[in-house]
Amino acid sequence: MFTRTKVHSIAHQLKSCLCLAFSWCLQSELSVQFDDLFRKAWEEDVAEFEKDGHSTESDSVKSEAEANQGDVLNGPDTGSSALDEILSVEAERFDEKIYGGGQQQKEAWAVSGSSEEIVDKFHELVPDMAIEFPFQLDTFQKEAIYYLEKGESVFVAAHTSAGKTVVAEYAFALSSKHCTRAVYTAPIKTISNQKYRDFCGKFDVGLLTGDVSLRPEASCLIMTTEILRSMLYRGADIIRDIEWVIFDEVHYVNDVERGVVWEEVIIMLPRHINIILLSATVPNTKEFADWIGRTKQKEIHVTGTTKRPVPLEHCLFYSGELYKICESETFMSQGLKAAKDAYKKKNSNAVSGGTGSSSGFSAVQDGPRGQKREISNRGKQNKHSGPQNLGNYSGTGWGNQRTGGGQNSWGSRRSTWLLLIDKLSKKSLLPVVIFGFSKNQCDKSADSISGTDLTSSSEKSEIRVFCDKAFSRLKGSDRNLPQVVRVQSLLCRGIGIHHAGLLPIVKEVVEMLFCRGVIKVLFSTETFAMGVNAPARTVVFDTLRKFDGKEFRQVLPGEYTQMAGRAGRRGLDKIGTVIVMCRDEIPEERDLKHIITGTPTKLESQFRLTYIMILHLLRVEELKVEDMLKRSFAEFHAQKKLPEQQQLLMRKLAQPKKTIECIKGEPAIEEYYEMHAEAEEHDEQISKAVMQSPVVQQFLIHGRVVVVKSQSAQDHLLGVVVKSPSANNKQYIVLVLKPDEPSMTQTPSGSSNLQDKRSADFHQGYVLLPKSKRGLEEDYRVSAVPRKGSGIINITLPYQGAAAGVSFEVRETDNTEFLCICNRRIKVDQVGLLEYGSNAAFSNTVQQLLKLKSNGNKYPPALDPVKDLKLKDMDLVKTYYKWTHLLQKMSENKCHECIKLEEHIKLAREIKKHKEEVNALEFQLSNEALQQMPEFQGRIDVLKEIGCIDENLVVQLKGRVACEMNSGEELICTECLFENQLDDLEPEEAVALMSAFVFQQKNTSKPSLTSKLSQAKQRLYDTAIRLGKLQAEFKLQITPEEYVQENLKFGLVEVVYEWAKGTPFADICELTDVPEGLIVRTIVRLDETCREFKTAAAIMGNSSLYKKMESASNAIKRDIVFAASLYITGV
């Protein structure tokens, strides 16, 4: 017999031996890039496990407590079973340590606490800083730097301009000091370019984006997140040297299209790399940090500040006046009231004021119907086809305006802008960024105030000189592009525009001049708030409604905070001003409160499976697709519960198995219990729908045989209705037979008791039906002739007695107490029973009831649901028949009359519950429980079908080619290549067709194509439709037509074709209504696609395609489209 001390000693020795064995095995293995993955992390984990040996004793105590608890549950057991349990607990813990990235028993990996000690002793804790800053560091900056010095990961959440970049700079300085490398990733190329310029003089910096590669050997690399993901999949050598990875704008993980990239990169980063996350304030920073810590098995220190470096005040602008509505995060209702009073006063004399509003906040109040109507109207009016549609657009998408009407004409809008700018100028609130949610809106607004001049002569000179230098790199015709000339004219007057439709070089000129302070009014879309670090004195919202690609909706609190955060220049302004434009109405207080002071959007997983992700992971043996799914943020909470679920499963499996010993041979209780449980499911529905229906009440007259619920958990009672409800008596009076006394026709007492309990298990319903199916056609008559009575009840209810050797009771009963209304009716002497209490009447009634129970029938058949009860609901009738059939089968089962039925039913219920709990836990612990597992199986089947992988999930040639397709939809691109669709096309035609993979705008003017290009387009379209149908066949949530529309957009085929042939940029712009900036962006991405196709051609061994892609790339890479960034080359 083992003592507990001995048992724990043996368990600990076994564990140590296992650890050493695993450690020895791993020392002989080569390290790989994914050293944070399951089996490749053993060596570090084992060392850490043994290092923490002081916790072994507490673990043993915990195991002993668990064993004791198991003893209580399972009763006395031998020492060997205790040993088994302890060893299995230890083995499970060790398995978790090795395999379970998300299964550690550590409560929380996100750490945040008091930073007072760090701040007070900062210079003692960090005596030799890697870089000195020329200003006093804030609390959160000191805290973050302290943890960086300790080599730990941090998550910094703070408002815009709070100084998060200081943490990134310090990481760069540390990597330089340690002779390692650091990577800074950003979601937008503009941010990457800006950071390159900012860090260039301070560190050894390189830049890697889709179209630029500068000094990739540098120790500090700035790149887009997609580039880093590609490096991780390829297993680039650079990964081994990286000490820090900085994720800027982490809240971009919420982006539906690209958010998955952040999750992929975080999951795949090796454990030796420390992570720095920089984010705007979000409500669930700890949750996100806990996920990262659990995934990487390292603590993440959460720090930051909710304090703005420059406090904000929020105002409404109406009719030339500003009304302050919020200051220091406190809403001021009096300011809103003053604005509403001004609105009422102005509109008091209007003929028809305040009606017809279809946008702004009124649409929110209108509810879903009004909103739906508004969206529908906008959908018809909002085709992006140039300025001619702008009037219609302004009436819907701008917010706070009526549709139509002279008040909202551009003349009126111009006067509103002039009033605002004049007001801001007088209050010294310039420069201002005016946010709108449409490129056309920005252009039109800027043009409407083109007569305004806000710059001095010296500023005009500075602007001209800067523009001349910036645009001097363009060739003559490009310098005279309409957009370049128009923007220069606006800039000279201190007015700027900024949106995705601008040429990249024009956008950069606007950004740089705004940072210099010479642009006083900037009309911009929201991308300016995300991609450019350029604060202003004031921010203005032209509307608080936007189109998000699917519908028009209110601006979210997080979006408002991001844009409003551009107000207030640190070191220059004591306060930043945020203004909401009001034209036709004043927003409601609840809406303003929600937007201005509401909780920002939580960080949520946008993880989704893609074919390219699956193919990459199938090529990397160290990380399975299932592991990627498990480690995603979407599965975080489920994976976090796994350790306790494993413990619970262990305990349930360790419990002794209960068995049922049948006294009638082979046990049939399981089958009986299944029928019992299924019948229970239907009881309540049938009881409610049938027993209490109006039709049933017609049958409940005196003489009707019924089955009444037992009040004492005994057998349900056969009875007869003696008297229906009347004015004096609201309840039914029934005579029921009581089974407490034996009779020659009753079943044996043991069977009766068991039958009673079984019946009691059916909560409400016809619990038992007769075993025999014989009909009872006889009419029951009494010998005594009924007497006419007075209706008075002389017996005291409940009245109990005995007749014919059977006990009976006369009682009052509500209709809800009836379990069954039988199809039999007997003659009853109502007067003799109730007025005279005649023994002969009681005896006669009891004998008639006993006859109904003869020949094995417990109760007579129930009324037919269709013929008798006239039920119309066929589903209910079907359920009724199914239920009665179940009860009939139960009565035929050999367990039905068993004296141990009650005990065995209870045991069967416990066994089934235990089995279900074990199955549920095993499912939760399996890969099948992963949310996206069904989609994964479907995508695997698609890849097998088209030949990217074989039956053993080995990636084939076609799959290797698909892995190279990052810029377009991988399946369509791959099929296009393997079907040789580009072979009969010239390089110019091929690259024009390929533009469909990367162009993103949905609504464009229809291109005019050559017959050859038209055929190629149709061929590609047919391929995409075929792939869409194939995916739909394998149960993926894909509609073929939508799949094609999402992944192939042919709007720029003609434009790219002409550009590749050498047509000047000014001329190709005339061929389409697509803005110049989007044309450039598409062609730049197209060059990346050409490189991918060139790599694919090399893999396929197709030399002609390789040369064709090389020629195509050279044909499009020229002039303004590929003008170098001003941030990189300088001005």
Side-chain angles (χ1 to χ4, degrees), residues 38 42 94 107 109 140-141 205 240 260 294 386 448 451 454 520 717 901 1004 1073 1090 1122:
F38 293 125
W42 287 353
F94 191 70
E107 287 299 320
W109 293 92
F140 79 90
Q141 292 169 334
V205 185
R240 298 175 184 170
V260 61
R294 199 166 292 272
S448 70
L454 301 170
K520 310 300 181 184
L717 311 174
L901 180 60
T1004 64
D1073 57 0
C1090 287
F1122 285 85

Side-chain angles (χ1 to χ4, degrees), residues 288-357:
F288 194 75
D290 193 26
W291 164 66
I292 295 173
R294 199 166 292 272
T295 302
K296 310 315 299 176
Q297 294 295 283
K298 59 173 67 179
E299 288 185 346
I300 308 292
H301 294 274
V302 179
T303 183
T305 179
T306 56
K307 182 182 177 183
R308 288 188 175 277
V310 181
L312 297 182
E313 62 175 6
H314 304 261
C315 306
L316 299 180
F317 183 77
Y318 178 73
S319 191
E321 293 297 328
L322 290 172
Y323 301 90
K324 189 184 294 186
I325 57 170
C326 186
E327 188 173 25
S328 302
E329 306 296 326
T330 305
F331 198 83
M332 304 164 66
S333 300
Q334 62 270 27
L336 180 60
K337 185 177 182 299
K340 288 192 171 183
D341 290 342
Y343 172 78
K344 290 176 183 176
K345 184 177 180 180
K346 182 177 179 181
N347 291 277
S348 59
N349 297 325
V351 177
S352 57
T355 60
S357 176

Side-chain angles (χ1 to χ4, degrees), residues 803-824:
V806 176
S807 297
F808 66 83
E809 182 179 78
V810 182
R811 65 168 73 156
E812 292 180 303
T813 303
D814 191 54
N815 68 341
T816 58
E817 297 299 310
F818 295 129
L819 287 176
C820 173
I821 301 171
C822 302
N823 65 358
R824 293 289 180 266

